[in-house]
Amino acid sequence: MNRFAIITILLYLFVFQTGFSQNDSLTIYNKYKPIADKIIQKAFSDSSAFNKLAYFCDVFGPRLSGSSNLVKALDWLKTELQNDGFENVKAEEVMVPHWVRGREYCRLLSPREANISLNSLGGSISTPPEGVTAPVIVVNDVKELDSLADKIKGKILLFNEPFINYGQAVQYRFYGAKWAAKYGAVASLIRSVSPLEHQNLHTGVMGYNDSIPKIPHAAITPEDASMLQRMQNLGITPIINIYSECKTLPDTMSHNIMGDITGSVYPNEIIAIGGHTDSWDLGTGAHDDASGVIAALQAGRILLDLGIKPKRTIRITGWVNEENGSRGGIAYRDKHKNEKHVLMLEQDSGIFPPESIRFTGPDSILKLLKYAEPLFKQIADIKVDIGGGGVDIGPMMKLGVPGISVGNEDNGKYFWYHHSNADTVDKINPHNFNKTIAAIALAIYIYSDFNFELPGNIK
Ligand SMILES: [Zn+2]
């Protein structure tokens, strides 16, 4: 076969498979420019999304799995979906863990008396009623812990690992109790997982290992962790008393909430978009992740308001229990794996200036999304790149469904607020919120409109 024939066949296959011509960038731009203009104009036109976010966070408060706050917030979300005109609005049952904090405190007893701020990490056991009183031994990392193995017994171990990045620091939050208990520590503490040193406490999930004794596990502020380290460096052994009442109650019933815009051409092909409705019990989970849930809700609402009919079904979803069990994402997969999903979108990285559309899926589709980049540039300096995903959409993505998220430029600030009392609505910039919503609405609309067979969990 000569070269010309091969090129002709390849071109034919490309056009046939994607429905776009050779000059795709211009084709996509021209095709979607009018609708992009409308979406952006609508998203930027008012503060209704921000007001919904404020309502969700300020009226219901923190939404830890098992809490009555979460029950009320989920009822509200379901009613909003119904009132907004979404179809098939549902609350699907999910059993979730139920951990509660209770009273807790920490006292420095020697070399002087002082209060130390402390918060138990999610899933920790309580102390005995009299608390735990013991000398503190400070280590910077696991290597140092191993080198001091014979000095740990009977002590309260403090991991004073400075924040380099989240992935590294969070290891101490999750595994710290079992690492410490292995050498006989009676309790373990971590330096709060955050780059910011503003006397702030950060909670988050931790784990035990059934073969190792369970000991209380909590976070203290970076300032107090540094102080205890300095005392040790001076040859002083601080003695502290820790008290906490936290406990794990039996699992309780909660719900994934969802509502659809039924596809006009391929109603049985689903694009599920959303975030997680639960949050930690500190702050009000504004960045993490009320913003993701409300952004998806508003993106759908914009399409409805503009009378835009996506070819495929768009499902607005609030997954539950991302923070301490990931049960919502797993339950969603178990319940819906027999419906064809062609895309999952999860927004769970807070609200900052959007800078990317992150996509995990076939290169051929990434290429088409890249052609749409000039449209996203109308919203902000957004590029299309690889890397979309999330805890809640992970189970469906493992079955072959592509994933997408809007990436942002947070300059490290997300972890200033993450899982702390400071994760509140005042930290959300309404303009960045509207930009994120516009990017979500445009991305899912373009994706839903592709007129070729999309990959998913079902062929
Ligand atoms: Zn989150």
Side-chain angles (χ1 to χ4, degrees):
M1 205 181 293
N2 68 32
R3 227 172 100 214
F4 178 75
I6 292 171
I7 290 169
T8 308
I9 288 169
L10 286 177
L11 190 62
Y12 171 79
L13 285 174
F14 183 75
V15 171
F16 177 75
Q17 283 183 357
T18 65
F20 290 105
S21 71
Q22 204 180 8
N23 197 2
D24 301 287
S25 186
L26 201 59
T27 308
I28 288 189
Y29 184 82
N30 288 333
K31 182 169 180 185
Y32 295 110
K33 174 81 168 74
I35 232 151
D37 287 347
K38 280 191 203 164
I39 286 173
I40 295 166
Q41 201 269 332
K42 181 77 187 159
F44 289 9
S45 68
D46 62 32
S47 41
S48 59
F50 186 82
N51 292 342
K52 282 180 200 172
L53 179 75
Y55 197 94
F56 195 70
C57 294
D58 294 337
V59 173
F60 304 114
R63 302 170 301 282
L64 190 57
S65 288
S67 67
S68 60
N69 288 1
L70 178 62
V71 172
K72 290 175 204 157
L74 296 184
D75 279 348
W76 175 87
L77 179 60
K78 189 177 168 205
T79 306
E80 281 293 300
L81 284 161
Q82 284 163 335
N83 292 346
D84 280 356
F86 292 93
E87 298 156 280
N88 310 317
V89 174
K90 278 185 277 211
E92 289 180 351
E93 293 185 343
V94 185
M95 289 302 284
V96 295
H98 189 188
W99 178 83
V100 291
R101 183 173 298 283
R103 287 191 310 143
E104 57 193 0
Y105 60 77
C106 178
R107 288 280 295 163
L108 177 66
L109 303 177
S110 173
R112 66 183 165 94
E113 290 205 33
N115 289 328
I116 287 183
S117 302
L118 162 142
N119 79 44
S120 298
L121 295 165
S124 175
I125 59 164
S126 66
T127 62
E130 69 280 13
V132 173
T133 301
V136 177
I137 184 163
V138 187
V139 300
N140 280 289
D141 53 30
V142 189
K143 235 172 100 185
E144 194 179 357
L145 171 65
D146 291 340
S147 73
L148 297 172
D150 58 345
K151 298 195 168 60
I152 307 297
K153 195 157 190 267
K155 309 267 175 52
I156 294 173
L157 185 78
L158 165 62
F159 292 99
N160 184 33
E161 219 256 356
F163 186 96
I164 309 286
N165 60 60
Y166 183 68
Q168 197 173 316
V170 80
Q171 306 286 323
Y172 295 87
R173 191 187 79 203
F174 195 80
Y175 299 111
K178 53 189 177 190
W179 288 341
K182 191 175 73 175
Y183 293 126
V186 290
S188 60
L189 300 174
I190 60 163
R191 178 192 183 99
S192 276
V193 178
S194 176
L196 187 67
E197 297 174 8
H198 266 192
Q199 293 282 9
N200 207 9
L201 294 164
H202 299 254
T203 191
V205 73
M206 54 83 58
Y208 287 118
N209 188 327
D210 283 341
S211 62
I212 298 173
K214 294 183 169 126
I215 57 172
H217 190 41
I220 60 174
T221 66
E223 288 86 346
D224 285 332
S226 298
M227 177 187 71
L228 294 170
Q229 173 90 65
R230 285 194 303 275
M231 288 177 176
Q232 178 171 290
N233 294 351
L234 291 170
I236 298 161
T237 301
I239 297 172
I240 62 172
N241 168 255
I242 298 172
Y243 175 85
S244 87
E245 296 174 348
C246 57
K247 59 183 171 212
T248 300
L249 301 171
D251 284 2
T252 182
M253 185 62 77
S254 190
H255 299 87
N256 283 334
I257 307 292
M258 62 203 74
D260 294 348
I261 305 173
T262 305
S264 60
V265 179
Y266 311 106
N268 296 328
E269 296 193 6
I270 296 156
I271 293 175
I273 72 168
H276 63 88
T277 47
D278 63 310
S279 77
W280 278 103
D281 57 336
L282 309 179
T284 55
H287 276 292
D288 186 15
D289 183 31
S291 62
V293 175
I294 304 297
L297 175 67
Q298 188 75 1
R301 173 67 189 264
I302 286 171
L303 299 183
L304 286 175
D305 281 358
L306 293 173
I308 294 171
K309 303 247 182 288
K311 284 185 182 149
R312 293 172 172 86
T313 293
I314 309 284
R315 175 170 297 161
I316 315 305
T317 318
W319 291 283
V320 76
N321 184 232
E322 188 270 352
E323 294 293 3
N324 59 341
S326 313
R327 304 265 184 95
I330 294 164
Y332 184 91
R333 175 204 59 200
D334 292 347
K335 184 109 183 160
H336 296 280
K337 62 176 182 258
N338 295 324
E339 297 166 301
K340 182 170 182 181
H341 285 64
V342 296
L343 184 68
M344 304 292 293
L345 178 145
E346 180 160 14
Q347 206 52 38
D348 187 16
S349 54
I351 298 299
F352 299 94
E355 55 93 38
S356 55
I357 300 291
R358 299 269 163 195
F359 178 70
T360 302
D363 285 347
S364 55
I365 298 180
L366 178 67
K367 197 167 145 190
L368 292 178
L369 289 171
K370 271 184 190 286
Y371 290 148
E373 217 173 63
L375 297 168
F376 291 107
K377 295 264 185 224
Q378 292 180 211
I379 299 167
D381 191 13
I382 292 174
K383 60 182 185 300
V384 174
D385 215 334
I386 53 169
V391 170
D392 299 301
I393 64 176
M396 286 299 285
M397 287 178 68
K398 280 203 185 109
L399 300 180
V401 187
I404 200 165
S405 317
V406 177
N408 59 47
E409 185 49 70
D410 73 348
N411 292 312
K413 286 187 183 172
Y414 182 62
F415 291 108
W416 289 10
Y417 313 126
H418 185 249
H419 297 180
S420 84
N421 277 322
D423 186 4
T424 45
V425 178
D426 50 291
K427 311 303 188 310
I428 306 277
N429 176 303
H431 301 296
N432 290 334
F433 194 38
N434 283 345
K435 286 177 186 178
T436 306
I437 290 162
I440 292 172
L442 183 57
I444 56 161
Y445 178 71
I446 292 173
Y447 206 96
S448 74
D449 203 54
F450 285 143
N451 57 359
F452 53 92
E453 194 176 337
L454 290 171
N457 51 319
I458 292 168
K459 297 280 171 269

